[in-house]
Amino acid sequence: DAGVIQSPRHEVTEMGQEVTLRCKPISGHNSLFWYRQTMMRGLELLIYFNNNVPIDDSGMPEDRFSAKMPNASFSTLKIQPSEPRDSAVYFCASSLSTGELFFGEGSRLTVL
Amino acid sequence: AQRVTQPEKLLSVFKGAPVELKCNYSYSGSPELFWYVQYSRQRLQLLLRHISRESIKGFTADLNKGETSFHLKKPFAQEEDSAMYYCALMEYGNKLVFGAGTILRVKS
């Protein structure tokens, strides 16, 4: 298994543009998480899904952020419109409800 | 609100010196705590969890409910221990909340 796969690895965009980040969890895992990593705030949980259903999206900063999980093997995190303060590394992780999360390599977003 | 606090952004020690990475938590129930590590150019990964009570790569962490702490310790630091360390707390429904992280630098 290649582990959690995220794309793109790097994204540079201009303020106001739409950004879509993608994640393929490990096959068989039933939980999927989206985190944002910044130097100032560390790892912040944005949203997580259990069995494709969003359970807690209280960490989603604003209405500009949305996440979907249409099936067990795919999730997206969308930012529309993007702003410079959204610049960060976005991680996707999946798990089998054991507390051990398996992380992707992250998507580094730069909004100019 | 439930919270995980790592008071140090950066901890710098010499090779062979003891290491203690601090973590304090706030949780109303029975906590389940973890340490995750991110080495340079590698994925964030689980280092250890308090329920297993094992030593991984020489690191140990003891849950102290009285002090609400879960500090990570190693008696003799090695250069390969240099990494970012995150303390994490599991809340309801498998939700994992992380602290802000501590960068450990081990100098030769």
Side-chain angles (χ1 to χ4, degrees):
Chain A
D1 197 329
V4 175
I5 299 172
Q6 290 186 246
S7 64
R9 292 292 311 282
H10 302 274
E11 174 92 7
V12 180
T13 190
E14 293 188 344
M15 184 173 68
Q17 297 298 305
E18 178 180 295
V19 173
T20 299
L21 307 178
R22 297 172 178 80
C23 176
K24 182 181 187 316
I26 293 173
S27 176
H29 282 189
N30 59 352
S31 296
L32 183 139
F33 303 77
W34 282 101
Y35 287 88
R36 178 171 66 178
Q37 182 187 47
T38 61
M39 282 301 295
M40 292 300 297
R41 303 173 78 153
L43 268 174
E44 299 173 278
L45 177 63
L46 301 177
I47 185 171
Y48 79 102
F49 298 82
N50 274 352
N51 298 315
N52 312 341
V53 176
I55 302 300
D56 186 342
D57 65 354
S58 59
M60 296 285 261
E62 307 170 24
D63 291 346
R64 299 184 296 106
F65 285 69
S66 63
K68 293 182 180 179
M69 191 166 186
N71 56 61
S73 58
F74 184 66
S75 176
T76 59
L77 178 68
K78 187 175 292 187
I79 309 172
Q80 167 62 18
S82 58
E83 295 183 3
R85 60 189 166 130
D86 301 331
S87 297
V89 181
Y90 291 81
F91 285 101
C92 176
S94 68
S95 81
L96 267 173
S97 303
T98 60
E100 181 172 6
L101 268 59
F102 292 83
F103 282 81
E105 293 181 292
S107 294
R108 182 176 295 276
L109 173 65
T110 303
V111 183
L112 303 174
Chain B
Q2 327 294 11
R3 199 172 67 174
V4 178
T5 304
Q6 293 180 250
E8 301 145 325
K9 283 272 186 196
L10 172 66
L11 182 63
S12 189
V13 302
F14 282 102
K15 177 182 169 183
V19 172
E20 182 178 66
L21 299 166
K22 292 184 168 53
C23 172
N24 288 91
Y25 66 91
S26 171
Y27 190 62
S28 55
S30 185
E32 191 167 349
L33 289 148
F34 305 79
W35 277 97
Y36 277 74
V37 61
Q38 188 175 24
Y39 300 104
S40 178
R41 299 188 185 87
Q42 293 189 29
R43 303 181 187 219
L44 189 62
Q45 59 189 284
L46 176 66
L47 178 62
L48 55 80
R49 62 177 76 193
H50 90 270
I51 57 173
S52 62
R53 300 186 65 82
E54 55 188 345
S55 173
I56 305 292
K57 299 185 179 183
F59 284 97
T60 58
D62 292 320
L63 177 60
N64 186 323
K65 290 186 179 181
E67 296 182 357
T68 60
S69 68
F70 188 57
H71 303 328
L72 184 68
K73 299 178 183 178
K74 184 169 183 176
F76 308 104
Q78 299 172 303
E79 288 182 73
E80 54 265 35
D81 296 328
S82 296
M84 171 73 92
Y85 290 81
Y86 288 98
C87 183
L89 168 71
M90 181 185 282
E91 297 184 351
Y92 62 88
N94 198 34
K95 176 180 176 180
L96 207 58
V97 176
F98 287 81
T102 299
I103 298 171
L104 174 64
R105 288 207 184 117
V106 182
K107 300 175 287 188
S108 57

